Amino acid sequence: MADNARDSNDLEKRQTDEAALSARLRRLGDQLGQQRPGEPSETHRGRPAADASGYARGFRLSSELVAGVLLGAGIGWALDRMLGISPWGLIVFLLLGFTAGVINVMRAAGVAPPPPFPLPHAGEGREGGAPPQC
């Protein structure tokens, strides 16, 4: 008989806890709705154009990383074949390629600042193919 009383007390306590939690969640939702009334709700998001641009950005970032690793591995493998220093060229340039890929991803994502020096662009600073004059 004591077990039944304890079980009913636990059930009542659990129900009151759930009711209090539900009330708190409703109040929090109301407060958030008042603070940010201009933002669309989650049910109204889902624009296909935004999803497509997100996929494009994700593909660009992943290809930046993969390209850095593959280029580093290719240079390392070529040096190993030419100089006969296998596997050290592959190991070193694979790590360098990974590092360069991560830095490129961070720059493309806007996390890292651009390089401190301007990168040369084709034809910049020259007129008519003449070398730049100092």
Side-chain angles (χ1 to χ4, degrees):
M1 187 164 218
D3 289 336
N4 286 342
R6 185 175 48 188
D7 289 342
S8 67
N9 286 339
D10 287 342
L11 181 62
E12 290 174 10
K13 183 180 181 217
R14 204 173 333 152
Q15 288 175 344
T16 58
D17 288 345
E18 288 176 6
L21 180 62
S22 178
R24 286 176 54 198
L25 285 173
R26 256 184 270 120
R27 283 194 313 264
L28 179 63
D30 293 340
Q31 289 174 354
L32 286 174
Q34 291 172 359
Q35 290 178 359
R36 295 188 251 169
E39 291 185 14
S41 66
E42 290 183 15
T43 57
H44 298 289
R45 284 188 202 169
R47 296 184 328 232
D51 291 341
S53 69
Y55 287 131
R57 183 173 179 158
F59 186 72
R60 176 181 176 215
L61 295 177
S62 62
S63 64
E64 291 270 354
L65 180 65
V66 169
V69 171
L70 290 178
L71 187 64
I75 291 172
W77 178 80
L79 282 176
D80 282 346
R81 299 285 283 183
M82 289 178 7
L83 301 176
I85 56 172
S86 185
W88 296 108
L90 180 63
I91 292 171
V92 169
F93 278 91
L94 185 68
L95 292 174
L96 286 174
F98 175 75
T99 305
V102 168
I103 290 172
N104 283 339
V105 166
M106 290 174 58
R107 283 185 186 151
V111 177
F117 51 88
L119 296 175
H121 296 287
E124 186 175 291
R126 292 184 270 161
E127 294 179 13
Q133 298 175 356
C134 294

